[in-house]
Amino acid sequence: MTTAPRRIDVHQHLVPPLYRDALADAGITEAGGRALPGWSVGAALEAMDLLGTETAILSVSTPATGFLTDPDEAAGLARRLNDHSAGVAAEHPTRLGWFATLPMPDAEAAAREAERALGEPGADGVTLLANNRGAYLGSEGQEPLWRVLDEHGAVVFVHPADLPAPAVDGIPPFAADFLLDTTRAAYLLVRNGVPRRHPNIRFVLSHAGGFLPYASHRMAVALASDIGRSPRDVLDDFRGFYFDTALSSSPAALPTLLAFARPGHVLFGSDWPFAPAPAGQYFAAGLDSGVEAGTLAAVNRTNAEALFPRLADGTPAPAPSRLLPVRLRQSAQRAAARLVFKLVQPGTD
């Protein structure tokens, strides 16, 4: 039986009843072209055990509060979601954390809720969608929020949303558009100097940063001619982001990410439950099979410990009370997932 890797998952979602009900009232039954998945704390812990995850930082996925056009309603929903998330994490403090939902695109209201959530409720950071009703991160008018987040030295988990344009028939947004959405946000954040003005903010980009690692030099050259900075300086800013591995630890994407990102800036992510357990196993197996032991340990855990010091006390979370047959089955499932991953890779001919 192999030892569980004690991962810290920075990309795991919750879909509590109060959020599902609010979406249903607005006629929303899916996110990113995928039906809203079932969710419960018990199911989350079970999925974590399967992937060898010790602690997960929970976040609300798209559309967050952006589907509400009334600012007071959006702020109220964000507050309720954050109080609920805080309660869930308090019941499982060694296994669950949470990123606060902010009522964007209202930067003033988002700043107030960030100030509150990072205080007494004790959020581990905040979630921001790459765009909120067409307003991308890095756009004008967001300075009040950046100031608060910089003062707190906050971790900002950047999650994609639907593009501010109609989806292309036959291409679900989560499959391709989400990657462009994250890339656009990263580009504008750097173009408009947000990371340089607010160096205490740690931005974590979902899904390996979208297309950013692959297209970073192309974008750096474009930005250099636009804003008069050297491509090297722009690349330094791009490499200052953190990246998670959700749905991205493939033989094609992972080497590019590891070659581009700064040491210590790649974190484990699963995207559960929007990515079902088999998908999580597939990409976790790609990570387990694709990097050397030291890098694997860093991505699985130690890089995240630097961002979330409360998880770095060196004491393993209490082992879940699972019967031996369950532990053996989950270990066998992880081994089988690694084998399947190897078998389905394209040949070299």
Side-chain angles (χ1 to χ4, degrees), residues 173-188:
F174 76 86
D177 296 356
F178 273 15
L179 303 176
L180 175 58
D181 202 50
T182 302
T183 305
R184 284 176 168 179
Y187 189 99
L188 280 178

PDB file of all heavy atoms in Angstrom, residues 173-188:
ATOM      1  N   PRO A 173     -17.700  26.149 -22.586  1.00  0.00           N
ATOM      2  CA  PRO A 173     -16.745  27.155 -22.097  1.00  0.00           C
ATOM      3  C   PRO A 173     -15.631  26.586 -21.234  1.00  0.00           C
ATOM      4  O   PRO A 173     -14.485  27.038 -21.333  1.00  0.00           O
ATOM      5  CB  PRO A 173     -17.649  28.112 -21.305  1.00  0.00           C
ATOM      6  CG  PRO A 173     -18.971  28.024 -21.997  1.00  0.00           C
ATOM      7  CD  PRO A 173     -19.104  26.580 -22.392  1.00  0.00           C
ATOM      8  N   PHE A 174     -15.927  25.595 -20.397  1.00  0.00           N
ATOM      9  CA  PHE A 174     -14.889  25.094 -19.502  1.00  0.00           C
ATOM     10  C   PHE A 174     -13.743  24.441 -20.276  1.00  0.00           C
ATOM     11  O   PHE A 174     -12.610  24.374 -19.784  1.00  0.00           O
ATOM     12  CB  PHE A 174     -15.478  24.096 -18.492  1.00  0.00           C
ATOM     13  CG  PHE A 174     -15.771  22.726 -19.061  1.00  0.00           C
ATOM     14  CD1 PHE A 174     -14.785  21.754 -19.109  1.00  0.00           C
ATOM     15  CD2 PHE A 174     -17.034  22.411 -19.550  1.00  0.00           C
ATOM     16  CE1 PHE A 174     -15.051  20.488 -19.629  1.00  0.00           C
ATOM     17  CE2 PHE A 174     -17.307  21.159 -20.071  1.00  0.00           C
ATOM     18  CZ  PHE A 174     -16.306  20.193 -20.112  1.00  0.00           C
ATOM     19  N   ALA A 175     -14.014  23.960 -21.494  1.00  0.00           N
ATOM     20  CA  ALA A 175     -12.997  23.207 -22.237  1.00  0.00           C
ATOM     21  C   ALA A 175     -11.937  24.100 -22.859  1.00  0.00           C
ATOM     22  O   ALA A 175     -10.778  23.692 -22.979  1.00  0.00           O
ATOM     23  CB  ALA A 175     -13.674  22.372 -23.327  1.00  0.00           C
ATOM     24  N   ALA A 176     -12.297  25.306 -23.270  1.00  0.00           N
ATOM     25  CA  ALA A 176     -11.330  26.170 -23.955  1.00  0.00           C
ATOM     26  C   ALA A 176     -11.441  27.631 -23.525  1.00  0.00           C
ATOM     27  O   ALA A 176     -10.425  28.288 -23.264  1.00  0.00           O
ATOM     28  CB  ALA A 176     -11.515  26.059 -25.477  1.00  0.00           C
ATOM     29  N   ASP A 177     -12.667  28.154 -23.438  1.00  0.00           N
ATOM     30  CA  ASP A 177     -12.847  29.573 -23.127  1.00  0.00           C
ATOM     31  C   ASP A 177     -12.267  29.941 -21.761  1.00  0.00           C
ATOM     32  O   ASP A 177     -11.734  31.045 -21.578  1.00  0.00           O
ATOM     33  CB  ASP A 177     -14.335  29.939 -23.160  1.00  0.00           C
ATOM     34  CG  ASP A 177     -14.951  29.793 -24.534  1.00  0.00           C
ATOM     35  OD1 ASP A 177     -14.206  29.475 -25.482  1.00  0.00           O
ATOM     36  OD2 ASP A 177     -16.175  29.973 -24.667  1.00  0.00           O
ATOM     37  N   PHE A 178     -12.405  29.042 -20.788  1.00  0.00           N
ATOM     38  CA  PHE A 178     -11.888  29.338 -19.451  1.00  0.00           C
ATOM     39  C   PHE A 178     -10.392  29.642 -19.489  1.00  0.00           C
ATOM     40  O   PHE A 178      -9.894  30.494 -18.744  1.00  0.00           O
ATOM     41  CB  PHE A 178     -12.149  28.153 -18.522  1.00  0.00           C
ATOM     42  CG  PHE A 178     -13.501  28.180 -17.839  1.00  0.00           C
ATOM     43  CD1 PHE A 178     -14.508  29.009 -18.282  1.00  0.00           C
ATOM     44  CD2 PHE A 178     -13.738  27.366 -16.748  1.00  0.00           C
ATOM     45  CE1 PHE A 178     -15.747  29.036 -17.659  1.00  0.00           C
ATOM     46  CE2 PHE A 178     -14.964  27.378 -16.104  1.00  0.00           C
ATOM     47  CZ  PHE A 178     -15.972  28.220 -16.550  1.00  0.00           C
ATOM     48  N   LEU A 179      -9.667  28.951 -20.354  1.00  0.00           N
ATOM     49  CA  LEU A 179      -8.222  29.156 -20.419  1.00  0.00           C
ATOM     50  C   LEU A 179      -7.894  30.548 -20.961  1.00  0.00           C
ATOM     51  O   LEU A 179      -6.977  31.221 -20.482  1.00  0.00           O
ATOM     52  CB  LEU A 179      -7.582  28.081 -21.286  1.00  0.00           C
ATOM     53  CG  LEU A 179      -7.848  26.638 -20.825  1.00  0.00           C
ATOM     54  CD1 LEU A 179      -7.249  25.644 -21.808  1.00  0.00           C
ATOM     55  CD2 LEU A 179      -7.302  26.413 -19.430  1.00  0.00           C
ATOM     56  N   LEU A 180      -8.660  30.978 -21.945  1.00  0.00           N
ATOM     57  CA  LEU A 180      -8.474  32.325 -22.476  1.00  0.00           C
ATOM     58  C   LEU A 180      -8.863  33.369 -21.441  1.00  0.00           C
ATOM     59  O   LEU A 180      -8.199  34.411 -21.315  1.00  0.00           O
ATOM     60  CB  LEU A 180      -9.306  32.505 -23.750  1.00  0.00           C
ATOM     61  CG  LEU A 180      -9.312  33.910 -24.356  1.00  0.00           C
ATOM     62  CD1 LEU A 180      -7.891  34.370 -24.693  1.00  0.00           C
ATOM     63  CD2 LEU A 180     -10.199  33.953 -25.601  1.00  0.00           C
ATOM     64  N   ASP A 181      -9.908  33.113 -20.681  1.00  0.00           N
ATOM     65  CA  ASP A 181     -10.364  34.085 -19.695  1.00  0.00           C
ATOM     66  C   ASP A 181      -9.280  34.363 -18.660  1.00  0.00           C
ATOM     67  O   ASP A 181      -8.977  35.522 -18.350  1.00  0.00           O
ATOM     68  CB  ASP A 181     -11.630  33.558 -19.010  1.00  0.00           C
ATOM     69  CG  ASP A 181     -12.452  34.663 -18.382  1.00  0.00           C
ATOM     70  OD1 ASP A 181     -12.726  35.664 -19.069  1.00  0.00           O
ATOM     71  OD2 ASP A 181     -12.822  34.534 -17.197  1.00  0.00           O
ATOM     72  N   THR A 182      -8.674  33.309 -18.138  1.00  0.00           N
ATOM     73  CA  THR A 182      -7.590  33.484 -17.167  1.00  0.00           C
ATOM     74  C   THR A 182      -6.410  34.209 -17.795  1.00  0.00           C
ATOM     75  O   THR A 182      -5.791  35.080 -17.171  1.00  0.00           O
ATOM     76  CB  THR A 182      -7.147  32.122 -16.629  1.00  0.00           C
ATOM     77  OG1 THR A 182      -8.264  31.465 -16.022  1.00  0.00           O
ATOM     78  CG2 THR A 182      -6.042  32.269 -15.606  1.00  0.00           C
ATOM     79  N   THR A 183      -6.086  33.866 -19.035  1.00  0.00           N
ATOM     80  CA  THR A 183      -4.965  34.498 -19.721  1.00  0.00           C
ATOM     81  C   THR A 183      -5.205  35.995 -19.891  1.00  0.00           C
ATOM     82  O   THR A 183      -4.293  36.812 -19.690  1.00  0.00           O
ATOM     83  CB  THR A 183      -4.746  33.843 -21.088  1.00  0.00           C
ATOM     84  OG1 THR A 183      -4.574  32.430 -20.910  1.00  0.00           O
ATOM     85  CG2 THR A 183      -3.542  34.412 -21.798  1.00  0.00           C
ATOM     86  N   ARG A 184      -6.414  36.367 -20.259  1.00  0.00           N
ATOM     87  CA  ARG A 184      -6.734  37.790 -20.409  1.00  0.00           C
ATOM     88  C   ARG A 184      -6.527  38.542 -19.099  1.00  0.00           C
ATOM     89  O   ARG A 184      -5.975  39.655 -19.067  1.00  0.00           O
ATOM     90  CB  ARG A 184      -8.185  37.942 -20.871  1.00  0.00           C
ATOM     91  CG  ARG A 184      -8.447  37.626 -22.336  1.00  0.00           C
ATOM     92  CD  ARG A 184      -9.938  37.731 -22.633  1.00  0.00           C
ATOM     93  NE  ARG A 184     -10.213  37.715 -24.066  1.00  0.00           N
ATOM     94  CZ  ARG A 184     -11.444  37.782 -24.578  1.00  0.00           C
ATOM     95  NH1 ARG A 184     -12.504  37.863 -23.775  1.00  0.00           N
ATOM     96  NH2 ARG A 184     -11.614  37.775 -25.894  1.00  0.00           N
ATOM     97  N   ALA A 185      -7.004  37.960 -17.996  1.00  0.00           N
ATOM     98  CA  ALA A 185      -6.866  38.626 -16.700  1.00  0.00           C
ATOM     99  C   ALA A 185      -5.399  38.799 -16.338  1.00  0.00           C
ATOM    100  O   ALA A 185      -4.983  39.873 -15.879  1.00  0.00           O
ATOM    101  CB  ALA A 185      -7.602  37.825 -15.626  1.00  0.00           C
ATOM    102  N   ALA A 186      -4.600  37.746 -16.531  1.00  0.00           N
ATOM    103  CA  ALA A 186      -3.168  37.844 -16.218  1.00  0.00           C
ATOM    104  C   ALA A 186      -2.501  38.936 -17.052  1.00  0.00           C
ATOM    105  O   ALA A 186      -1.671  39.711 -16.552  1.00  0.00           O
ATOM    106  CB  ALA A 186      -2.494  36.491 -16.462  1.00  0.00           C
ATOM    107  N   TYR A 187      -2.852  38.989 -18.317  1.00  0.00           N
ATOM    108  CA  TYR A 187      -2.282  39.989 -19.227  1.00  0.00           C
ATOM    109  C   TYR A 187      -2.598  41.400 -18.736  1.00  0.00           C
ATOM    110  O   TYR A 187      -1.706  42.256 -18.649  1.00  0.00           O
ATOM    111  CB  TYR A 187      -2.860  39.762 -20.623  1.00  0.00           C
ATOM    112  CG  TYR A 187      -2.221  40.568 -21.734  1.00  0.00           C
ATOM    113  CD1 TYR A 187      -1.261  39.984 -22.564  1.00  0.00           C
ATOM    114  CD2 TYR A 187      -2.583  41.895 -21.981  1.00  0.00           C
ATOM    115  CE1 TYR A 187      -0.687  40.710 -23.607  1.00  0.00           C
ATOM    116  CE2 TYR A 187      -2.011  42.623 -23.001  1.00  0.00           C
ATOM    117  CZ  TYR A 187      -1.062  42.026 -23.815  1.00  0.00           C
ATOM    118  OH  TYR A 187      -0.488  42.746 -24.843  1.00  0.00           O
ATOM    119  N   LEU A 188      -3.870  41.662 -18.404  1.00  0.00           N
ATOM    120  CA  LEU A 188      -4.256  43.015 -17.986  1.00  0.00           C
ATOM    121  C   LEU A 188      -3.690  43.372 -16.622  1.00  0.00           C
ATOM    122  O   LEU A 188      -3.332  44.532 -16.380  1.00  0.00           O
ATOM    123  CB  LEU A 188      -5.781  43.139 -17.968  1.00  0.00           C
ATOM    124  CG  LEU A 188      -6.438  43.362 -19.325  1.00  0.00           C
ATOM    125  CD1 LEU A 188      -7.954  43.424 -19.186  1.00  0.00           C
ATOM    126  CD2 LEU A 188      -5.929  44.657 -19.975  1.00  0.00           C
TER     127      LEU A 188
END
